[in-house]
């Protein structure tokens, strides 16, 4: 049995959806499997087209639209929100803010432009997208925002994700809590997902030995599959989870237990 959305067909807006190995693509795919329409957003135009083709191959009757966008650009975010509202997609019911970039620079090497870009993509973009799409959710009478954080926000950092990433992903937790309080009166829930190490291509340049070491350090002795993180995003977007808001949902194989 699938998740109970209970609200008829809705659109899930998913950012960071262009990589076939990534969490965003798998979240879009899982939404489509559960009967949602999907709006896939990413900066990578070619990847996005491949992602849409792959999704339609898996779920041929899915309603899927793609939007090429740098999620840090406020004007572009507003334009995409207007385009989604004007499209033949059903009303937006969920926004999954998944686009993100790592920050491998150590503290003393970290330069301001890297700090600002990491903040913009990981923290400011979820704010911009939420401001653009939540009014549509309120109008449509149903809304879920799910923001991507990381275990790095909780324990400080790792090999590929040091101080600026930890700060941005911790900021996502504050953004989530603040939005959850302010949007509750409108029936909109807002949650954060904090994965541990996930088997995707985000760790550019990482070799097999490093990847195995990352897995070995996890109590469950493996990296998460992107499908596992996707399932949590989709569940938090569905009616079944409607009494949960403002919460950090850890999904890390036991890496951080609190
Ligand atoms: N893989 C992990 O171990 C892990 C762990 C915890 C959290 N996360 C987070 O999960 C999210 C997804 O990462 P992933 O592992 O699937 O990697 P990924 O690199 O496949 O996904 C990131 C996506 O974001 C897109 N993106 C980057 N900058 C963008 C921008 N300015 N505008 C629009 N799109 C942009 C990329 O093109 C890419 O498709 C990220 O926020 C990441 O920080 C990943």
């Amino acid at each position: 049995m699938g998740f109970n959305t209970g609200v008829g067909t809705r659109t899930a807006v998913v950012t960071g959806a262009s990589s076939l190995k990534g969490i965003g693509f798998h979240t879009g795919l899982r939404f489509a499997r559960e009967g949602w329409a999907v709006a896939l957003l990413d900066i990578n135009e070619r990847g996005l087209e491949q992602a849409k083709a792959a999704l339609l191959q898996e779920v041929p009757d899915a309603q899927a639209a793609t939007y090429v966008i740098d999620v840090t650009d406020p004007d572009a975010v507003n334009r995409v929100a207007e385009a989604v509202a004007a499209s033949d997609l059903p009303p937006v019911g969920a926004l999954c803010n998944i686009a993100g970039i790592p920050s491998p620079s150590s503290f003393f090497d970290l330069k301001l432009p890297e700090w600002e870009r990491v903040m913009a993509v990981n923290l400011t973009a979820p704010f911009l997208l939420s401001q653009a799409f939540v009014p549509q959710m309120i109008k449509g009478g149903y809304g879920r925002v799910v923001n991507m954080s990381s275990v790095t926000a909780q324990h400080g950092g790792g090999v590929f994700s040091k101080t600026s990433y930890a700060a941005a992903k911790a900021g996502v937790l504050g953004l989530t809590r603040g939005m959850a309080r302010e949007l509750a009166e409108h029936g909109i829930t807002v949650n954060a997902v904090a994965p541990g190490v996930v088997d995707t291509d985000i760790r550019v340049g990482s070799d097999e030995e490093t990847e195995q070491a990352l897995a070995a350090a996890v109590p469950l002795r493996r990296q998460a599959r992107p499908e596992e993180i996707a399932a949590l995003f989709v569940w938090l977007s569905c009616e079944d989870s409607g009494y949960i808001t403002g919460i950090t949902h850890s999904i890390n194989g036991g890496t951080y237990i609190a």
Side-chain angles (χ1 to χ4, degrees), residues 57-120:
Q57 201 167 7
E58 294 285 327
V59 189
D61 60 351
Q63 197 176 353
T66 56
Y67 298 88
V68 180
I69 180 179
D70 180 340
V71 289
T72 69
D73 178 344
D75 293 336
V77 168
N78 287 330
R79 274 199 302 275
V80 167
E82 284 164 16
V84 170
S87 73
D88 58 1
L89 291 166
V92 172
L95 167 65
C96 294
N97 285 307
I98 297 179
I101 53 170
S103 175
S105 297
S106 58
F107 178 74
F108 289 110
D109 295 331
L110 185 60
K111 300 283 186 282
L112 188 58
E114 180 177 334
W115 168 274
E116 288 178 337
R117 186 68 183 162
V118 169
M119 290 295 156

Side-chain angles (χ1 to χ4, degrees), residues 16-229:
S18 77
S19 166
L20 298 186
K21 272 194 74 180
I23 298 164
F25 167 71
H26 282 283
T27 300
L29 179 58
R30 183 63 187 261
F31 270 117
R33 286 198 170 120
E34 301 293 338
W36 291 63
V38 289
L40 307 176
L41 279 55
D42 204 285
I43 199 168
N44 179 343
E45 183 170 7
R46 192 157 165 267
L48 208 44
E49 284 317 306
Q50 287 172 347
K52 182 180 172 182
L55 185 143
L56 289 174
Q57 201 167 7
E58 294 285 327
V59 189
D61 60 351
Q63 197 176 353
T66 56
Y67 298 88
V68 180
I69 180 179
D70 180 340
V71 289
T72 69
D73 178 344
D75 293 336
V77 168
N78 287 330
R79 274 199 302 275
V80 167
E82 284 164 16
V84 170
S87 73
D88 58 1
L89 291 166
V92 172
L95 167 65
C96 294
N97 285 307
I98 297 179
I101 53 170
S103 175
S105 297
S106 58
F107 178 74
F108 289 110
D109 295 331
L110 185 60
K111 300 283 186 282
L112 188 58
E114 180 177 334
W115 168 274
E116 288 178 337
R117 186 68 183 162
V118 169
M119 290 295 156
V121 180
N122 292 294
L123 176 57
T124 308
F127 158 68
L128 294 173
L129 281 139
S130 299
Q131 248 192 2
F133 279 103
V134 165
Q136 294 183 29
M137 297 180 189
I138 293 173
K139 201 169 155 206
Y142 182 91
R144 304 277 192 261
V145 179
V146 191
N147 294 321
M148 179 61 91
S149 182
S150 166
V151 69
T152 305
Q154 297 159 318
H155 73 31
V159 183
F160 287 86
S161 50
K162 294 202 164 68
T163 297
S164 64
Y165 184 81
K169 293 299 193 187
V172 168
L173 303 184
L175 173 74
T176 300
R177 291 172 188 143
M179 283 177 55
R181 283 207 183 274
E182 292 200 49
L183 299 180
E185 67 178 286
H186 301 287
I188 310 290
T189 69
V190 187
N191 287 283
V193 170
V197 62
V198 189
D199 184 13
T200 73
D201 285 336
I202 199 169
R203 290 175 294 279
V204 182
S206 179
D207 56 33
E208 190 54 36
E209 200 181 333
T210 307
E211 289 298 306
Q212 282 178 11
L214 287 171
V218 178
L220 281 178
R221 296 286 181 267
R222 66 175 178 87
Q223 300 191 9
R225 290 180 287 107
E227 294 90 333
E228 293 173 307
I229 315 300

